[in-house]
Amino acid sequence: FERAQNDISQILAAGAVPVVLGGDHSVTIPAVRAVKEHHSAPGLVLIDTHLDTAIEVGGESLSNCCPIARAIDAGFDPKKTVLVAISGWMNPRSELAYCQENGITVIWLEDIWERGVDAVIAQTLEIAGSEENGLYLTVDVDALDGGFAPGTSAPTPGGLTMRELLLLVRGIARSGLVGLDVVETAPSLDATSMTAAIAGRVVLDGLAAHAGALGD
């Protein structure tokens, strides 16, 4: 993690936007620590099925269940943190309590169904987005329905569609990124290259939207 943080910090110092690929969602931890070395008040957005706000798991504080809690520890403002598309039965009450106690905004998958993607993007950017400060976007492929992304450790029945995810990424990244990661891609669990291709597409669309290359 220290080596990764140092490398990412050098990318940021050069004025570039780092992209981190996983693998385990814990890779977000050195990335957000590096971002806070260079940006004073960035927003933080997670697109995921899971809250990922655990303090520790079995005594391990650098678990893939802990990246949002570690980002808050690193100095990200919880009131500028938004967790999007959270769903399913694998979110402990303790992690939801952490969000409530710290003022983290949770936008459930059902909110997207009921209100639509555009409304969720607008709410997310109102809370976390700032062209002056930028935001860090972390995308877990298990936010997608398992039919779109089977190559992950916890495929989600009933998750986002591919189009919904791309619209979310494009709309959020348009406000300006200080970093981007796409995680929990496990090609060995996929009979095809589909999940890996989706991860690549999210990176390209996110960077293109950040650069203003996708228009309105």
Side-chain angles (χ1 to χ4, degrees):
F1 276 17
E2 290 177 358
R3 290 195 297 271
Q5 182 177 341
N6 180 64
D7 290 346
I8 295 165
S9 183
Q10 291 183 51
I11 293 169
L12 287 157
V17 175
V19 174
V20 179
L21 299 174
D24 194 277
H25 206 155
S26 63
V27 300
T28 300
I29 296 171
V32 292
R33 287 173 172 173
V35 164
K36 276 301 296 174
E37 294 175 359
H38 297 270
H39 296 277
S40 60
L44 176 62
V45 178
L46 166 72
I47 302 176
D48 200 332
T49 288
H50 308 107
L51 293 163
D52 287 350
T53 54
I55 301 299
E56 52 83 24
V57 178
E60 177 55 75
S61 63
L62 302 179
S63 161
N64 66 323
C65 300
C66 303
I68 300 304
R70 297 292 81 76
I72 302 305
D73 292 345
F76 278 79
D77 184 350
K79 293 181 173 55
K80 293 180 62 178
T81 299
V82 185
L83 316 183
V84 179
I86 309 301
S87 69
W89 305 99
M90 299 293 289
N91 287 295
R93 290 182 180 180
S94 58
E95 294 189 30
L96 181 57
Y98 178 94
C99 296
Q100 295 168 336
E101 291 164 4
N102 288 279
I104 294 172
T105 299
V106 178
I107 300 177
W108 303 95
L109 179 63
E110 289 82 357
D111 294 325
I112 298 173
W113 295 347
E114 293 171 8
R115 296 164 48 212
V117 170
D118 288 344
V120 167
I121 291 171
Q123 180 186 1
T124 300
L125 294 182
E126 183 179 357
I127 296 166
S130 166
E131 292 185 5
E132 178 182 353
N133 296 311
L135 60 82
Y136 188 94
L137 175 60
T138 173
V139 179
D140 188 327
V141 296
D142 73 22
L144 285 163
D145 184 275
F148 295 99
T152 187
S153 61
T156 300
L160 292 169
T161 67
M162 190 63 229
R163 183 174 295 178
E164 287 171 333
L165 177 60
L166 289 177
L167 288 172
L168 285 167
V169 169
R170 289 177 173 209
I172 292 166
R174 244 181 218 115
S175 71
L177 299 175
V178 296
L180 168 66
D181 68 53
V182 184
V183 300
E184 297 294 333
T185 307
S188 64
L189 301 180
D190 193 339
T192 72
S193 60
M194 179 168 61
T195 310
I198 286 170
R201 175 69 186 268
V202 167
V203 169
L204 292 173
D205 278 31
L207 290 178
H210 164 78
L214 295 179
D216 297 327

